[in-house]
Amino acid sequence: MIALTLLLAAADPSAPCVRALAAAPGMACVEAGRGVVLAEDESEARRLAAHAVGAEARFAQGFSGSSAPYAVIMAPSTSARNGLKAAGFQHVLSWPAPRSFNEAARSSLETGARRFAASQGMTEAQTRQVVERALSQLPTPEAQAALDAGMVPHELGHLWFTAAFWPDAAASETEAPRHYGGPGPDWLDEAAAVFMEDEATADQRRDQFRALMRGETLPALGPTDGRSVLLDLAGFLGRDHPGLARAVSVAPDLARSGGVGVSFTPAGAGPAPATLERLFYVQARVFSDYLIRTSGRPAVLAEIAQATAGGQDFETWLARRGPDLGLPSSLAALQTDWDRFARNF
């Protein structure tokens, strides 16, 4: 006890984990570059911290800057969130603990499946079959670990991107967002977040793009004409994020479920918003690849964001900067070049 007291007394009160644990005592804390990760045990905190550090490196590469100070914390209380903000962590990303995720996901999937069965007038035996199929979608521990590797950087990317280019954006969590992420165009905000994902997730999205362009049906999307959606660049650049309505509708429930949102879409129920949402992510990944490869600039998204934050729309930026970067100078010409790139990707 004496040794522990002396150790705590010697701790630097300005150290990130000391400040973080004052707001969220009893958790394991690991420093991660410009932030911290707080979890139920140290191994879990180190695992998530590695994903956050990788995200910081990709943000520096793609957006030529440092990420805003942040804390990733598993299933935080309101007081812990407020305390972390007061301690200087600009962004607090809630992340579900594995146990909380499994419980919330199982409950959400079963509820959604039962609602669907009831809407179809199914018998109890048929309902049980629908529930079993829904629960079969629960990710394995390996799949959940892979999801964390992509989604922790993805969600941090949304936060850092907005802070970098729209630092004065309102951060109220009680208002329904006009955009899915920050004030920028939805396609650009999502492209920035997808850019932050780990390489395994990026390659998976690229593989899905190629399969859809070949006309294949992917189990994760179900029957859909993905090729026509992916080729429609004007639609991608102009539409609201397909997940916006879902994000607004489930927002009141997220706090009660530890930040977990899981939905069940029966096969054949499309074309579902969930399918369009997944296509949006796939298109964002490969359109980012197109812009980077064609321009030869890893930070081209940052240049577009800077212009957009300054009041220019994408078409104006393209006319001004496109020729210098090897890009077409108009949206019509961009659509033609995108069609070529996508078909040969």
Side-chain angles (χ1 to χ4, degrees):
M1 180 63 72
I2 294 175
L4 176 60
T5 302
L6 291 174
L7 180 62
L8 291 174
D12 181 357
S14 67
C17 273
V18 173
R19 291 185 285 116
L21 289 172
M27 301 193 77
C29 182
V30 171
E31 292 188 21
R34 289 177 55 79
V36 297
V37 174
L38 296 140
E40 295 177 334
D41 59 68
E42 185 173 344
S43 63
E44 192 69 14
R46 289 193 181 282
R47 183 177 68 84
L48 296 181
H51 302 329
V53 169
E56 287 191 40
R58 288 188 289 277
F59 189 80
Q61 175 193 31
F63 299 97
S64 303
S66 297
S67 53
Y70 63 93
V72 179
I73 177 171
M74 284 191 165
S77 64
T78 300
S79 61
R81 286 184 61 87
N82 293 340
L84 288 167
K85 290 270 190 179
F89 298 100
Q90 183 174 342
H91 299 302
V92 179
L93 176 63
S94 304
W95 205 252
R99 182 180 64 256
S100 299
F101 179 89
N102 289 335
E103 292 172 355
R106 177 175 291 275
S107 175
S108 182
L109 284 171
E110 182 169 355
T111 299
R114 289 191 175 278
R115 284 176 182 165
F116 172 74
S119 72
Q120 302 299 307
M122 293 183 179
T123 66
E124 181 56 31
Q126 291 171 324
T127 298
R128 285 197 298 271
Q129 291 180 345
V130 172
V131 170
E132 288 174 5
R133 285 199 298 271
L135 294 179
S136 72
Q137 298 179 17
L138 283 169
T140 63
E142 294 77 15
Q144 182 59 41
L147 185 66
D148 287 346
M151 292 304 101
V152 168
H154 181 112
E155 297 304 331
L156 287 172
H158 277 302
L159 299 173
W160 295 341
F161 178 72
T162 298
F165 299 100
W166 289 273
D168 299 325
S172 172
E173 297 181 1
T174 61
E175 297 177 2
R178 182 174 67 86
H179 290 290
Y180 188 77
D186 283 0
W187 76 265
L188 183 58
D189 194 288
E190 200 56 62
V194 169
F195 176 86
M196 299 292 294
E197 295 170 355
D198 68 311
E199 197 60 27
T201 304
D203 285 343
Q204 181 184 55
R205 297 201 190 282
R206 292 171 181 133
D207 288 343
Q208 290 174 335
F209 185 95
R210 295 185 184 100
L212 290 165
M213 287 298 296
R214 291 193 298 266
E216 297 177 15
T217 297
L218 301 180
L221 279 73
T224 183
D225 185 8
R227 180 185 175 114
S228 65
V229 174
L230 296 176
L231 287 175
D232 180 15
L233 187 60
F236 173 70
L237 296 173
R239 70 169 59 96
D240 285 341
H241 194 298
L244 177 60
R246 176 189 58 77
V248 172
S249 68
V250 303
D253 298 325
L254 289 182
R256 293 193 294 271
S257 65
V260 180
V262 181
S263 61
F264 169 60
T265 303
T275 295
L276 296 176
E277 191 174 346
R278 291 171 186 138
L279 286 170
F280 199 69
Y281 297 142
V282 170
Q283 192 168 16
R285 174 65 265 175
V286 178
F287 186 57
S288 298
D289 288 341
Y290 164 77
L291 291 172
I292 292 168
R293 294 182 190 183
T294 305
S295 69
R297 299 200 180 194
V300 66
L301 291 175
E303 183 172 337
I304 297 170
Q306 191 66 53
T308 302
Q312 286 187 33
D313 59 29
F314 180 57
E315 188 169 16
T316 300
W317 177 85
L318 201 61
R320 183 175 62 85
R321 290 288 292 146
D324 293 338
L325 299 177
L327 293 164
S329 60
S330 69
L331 289 180
L334 186 71
Q335 174 67 69
T336 300
D337 202 43
W338 167 249
D339 191 88
R340 172 200 58 78
F341 181 87
R343 293 176 188 277
N344 294 282
F345 183 71

Coordinates of all heavy atoms in Angstrom, one line a residue, residues 2 7 108 119 141 162 177 181 183 189 194 199 203 211 216 218-219 228 235 271 275 281 284-285 305 310 335-336 338:
I2 N 2.0 1.2 0.8 CA 2.8 2.4 0.9 C 3.5 2.6 -0.5 O 3.6 3.7 -1.0 CB 3.9 2.2 2.0 CG1 3.2 2.2 3.4 CG2 4.9 3.3 1.9 CD1 4.2 1.9 4.5
L7 N 3.9 5.7 -5.6 CA 3.9 5.6 -7.0 C 2.9 6.6 -7.6 O 3.2 7.4 -8.5 CB 3.6 4.2 -7.5 CG 3.5 4.0 -9.0 CD1 4.9 4.3 -9.7 CD2 3.1 2.6 -9.4
S108 N -30.8 -6.4 -30.3 CA -31.3 -5.7 -31.4 C -31.6 -6.5 -32.6 O -32.7 -6.3 -33.2 CB -30.2 -4.6 -31.8 OG -30.6 -3.8 -32.9
S119 N -44.7 -8.6 -38.9 CA -45.3 -7.8 -40.1 C -45.7 -8.7 -41.2 O -46.5 -8.3 -42.0 CB -44.3 -6.8 -40.6 OG -43.2 -7.4 -41.2
P141 N -15.7 -13.6 -32.7 CA -14.6 -12.7 -32.0 C -13.6 -12.2 -33.1 O -13.1 -11.1 -33.0 CB -14.0 -13.6 -31.0 CG -15.1 -14.6 -30.6 CD -15.9 -14.8 -31.9
T162 N -13.4 16.8 -39.3 CA -14.3 18.0 -39.0 C -13.5 19.0 -38.2 O -13.5 20.2 -38.5 CB -15.5 17.5 -38.2 OG1 -16.3 16.6 -39.0 CG2 -16.4 18.7 -37.9
P177 N -28.3 15.8 -37.1 CA -27.4 16.4 -38.0 C -27.9 16.6 -39.4 O -28.8 15.9 -39.9 CB -26.3 15.3 -38.1 CG -27.0 14.0 -37.8 CD -28.1 14.4 -36.9
G181 N -21.7 13.3 -41.0 CA -20.6 13.6 -40.2 C -20.5 15.1 -39.8 O -21.3 15.6 -39.0
P183 N -19.8 19.4 -41.3 CA -20.5 20.3 -42.2 C -20.1 20.1 -43.7 O -20.8 20.7 -44.6 CB -20.0 21.7 -41.7 CG -19.5 21.5 -40.4 CD -18.9 20.1 -40.4
D189 N -16.8 13.8 -46.5 CA -16.7 13.4 -45.1 C -16.5 11.9 -45.0 O -15.7 11.4 -44.2 CB -18.0 13.8 -44.3 CG -17.8 13.8 -42.8 OD1 -17.7 12.6 -42.3 OD2 -17.7 14.8 -42.2
V194 N -13.2 6.8 -44.5 CA -12.9 5.5 -45.1 C -11.3 5.5 -45.4 O -10.7 4.4 -45.3 CB -13.7 5.3 -46.4 CG1 -13.1 4.1 -47.2 CG2 -15.1 5.0 -46.1
E199 N -5.5 -1.3 -43.7 CA -5.3 -1.7 -45.1 C -6.2 -3.0 -45.4 O -6.7 -3.1 -46.5 CB -3.8 -2.0 -45.3 CG -3.5 -2.2 -46.8 CD -3.8 -0.9 -47.6 OE1 -3.7 0.2 -47.0 OE2 -4.0 -1.0 -48.8
D203 N -8.7 -3.0 -48.5 CA -8.6 -4.1 -49.5 C -9.9 -4.8 -49.7 O -10.3 -5.2 -50.8 CB -7.5 -5.0 -49.2 CG -6.1 -4.4 -49.5 OD1 -6.0 -3.4 -50.2 OD2 -5.1 -5.0 -49.0
A211 N -15.9 -7.0 -57.5 CA -16.9 -8.0 -57.6 C -18.2 -7.4 -58.1 O -18.9 -8.0 -59.0 CB -17.1 -8.7 -56.3
E216 N -21.4 -9.4 -59.8 CA -21.6 -10.5 -58.8 C -22.5 -10.0 -57.7 O -22.6 -8.8 -57.4 CB -20.2 -10.9 -58.2 CG -19.3 -11.5 -59.2 CD -17.9 -11.9 -58.6 OE1 -17.8 -11.9 -57.4 OE2 -17.0 -12.1 -59.4
L218 N -23.1 -10.0 -53.7 CA -22.4 -10.2 -52.4 C -23.3 -10.5 -51.3 O -24.3 -9.8 -51.1 CB -21.6 -8.9 -52.1 CG -20.5 -8.5 -53.2 CD1 -19.8 -7.2 -52.7 CD2 -19.6 -9.6 -53.5
P219 N -23.0 -11.5 -50.5 CA -23.9 -11.8 -49.3 C -24.2 -10.6 -48.4 O -25.3 -10.5 -47.9 CB -23.1 -12.9 -48.6 CG -22.3 -13.5 -49.7 CD -21.9 -12.4 -50.6
S228 N -24.4 -0.2 -61.4 CA -25.0 1.0 -61.9 C -24.9 2.1 -60.8 O -24.6 3.3 -61.1 CB -26.4 0.8 -62.3 OG -27.2 0.5 -61.1
G235 N -24.5 11.0 -58.8 CA -25.3 10.7 -57.7 C -24.5 10.6 -56.4 O -24.9 11.0 -55.3
P271 N -34.5 -2.9 -52.4 CA -33.2 -2.3 -52.1 C -33.2 -1.5 -50.8 O -33.9 -0.5 -50.7 CB -32.9 -1.4 -53.3 CG -34.3 -1.1 -53.8 CD -35.2 -2.3 -53.5
T275 N -28.2 -1.4 -47.8 CA -27.4 -1.7 -49.0 C -26.8 -0.5 -49.6 O -25.6 -0.5 -50.0 CB -28.3 -2.5 -50.0 OG1 -28.8 -3.7 -49.4 CG2 -27.6 -2.8 -51.3
Y281 N -19.9 3.4 -48.9 CA -18.6 3.2 -48.3 C -17.6 2.6 -49.4 O -16.5 3.0 -49.5 CB -18.6 2.2 -47.1 CG -19.4 2.7 -46.0 CD1 -20.2 1.9 -45.2 CD2 -19.4 4.1 -45.6 CE1 -21.0 2.3 -44.1 CE2 -20.2 4.5 -44.5 CZ -20.9 3.6 -43.8 OH -21.7 4.1 -42.7
A284 N -16.8 5.3 -51.8 CA -16.0 6.3 -51.2 C -14.5 5.9 -51.2 O -13.6 6.6 -51.5 CB -16.4 6.6 -49.8
R285 N -14.3 4.6 -50.9 CA -12.9 4.0 -50.9 C -12.3 4.1 -52.2 O -11.1 4.6 -52.4 CB -13.0 2.6 -50.4 CG -11.7 1.8 -50.4 CD -10.6 2.4 -49.5 NE -9.7 3.3 -50.1 CZ -8.8 4.0 -49.4 NH1 -8.6 3.8 -48.2 NH2 -8.0 4.8 -50.1
A305 N -11.0 19.5 -49.2 CA -11.7 20.0 -48.0 C -11.4 21.4 -47.6 O -12.3 22.2 -47.2 CB -11.3 19.1 -46.8
G310 N -13.6 26.8 -47.4 CA -13.5 28.2 -47.7 C -14.6 28.7 -48.6 O -14.6 29.9 -49.0
Q335 N -17.0 12.3 -64.8 CA -17.8 11.1 -64.9 C -17.2 10.2 -66.0 O -17.2 9.0 -65.8 CB -19.2 11.5 -65.3 CG -20.2 10.4 -65.5 CD -20.4 9.5 -64.3 OE1 -21.1 10.0 -63.4 NE2 -19.9 8.3 -64.3
T336 N -16.8 10.7 -67.1 CA -16.3 9.9 -68.2 C -15.0 9.2 -67.7 O -14.8 8.0 -68.0 CB -16.0 10.7 -69.4 OG1 -17.2 11.3 -69.9 CG2 -15.4 9.9 -70.5
W338 N -14.1 8.7 -64.6 CA -14.4 7.7 -63.5 C -14.9 6.4 -64.1 O -14.6 5.3 -63.6 CB -15.4 8.3 -62.6 CG -16.1 7.3 -61.7 CD1 -17.4 6.9 -61.7 CD2 -15.4 6.7 -60.6 NE1 -17.6 6.0 -60.7 CE2 -16.4 5.8 -60.0 CE3 -14.2 6.7 -60.0 CZ2 -16.2 5.0 -58.9 CZ3 -13.9 5.9 -58.9 CH2 -14.9 5.1 -58.3

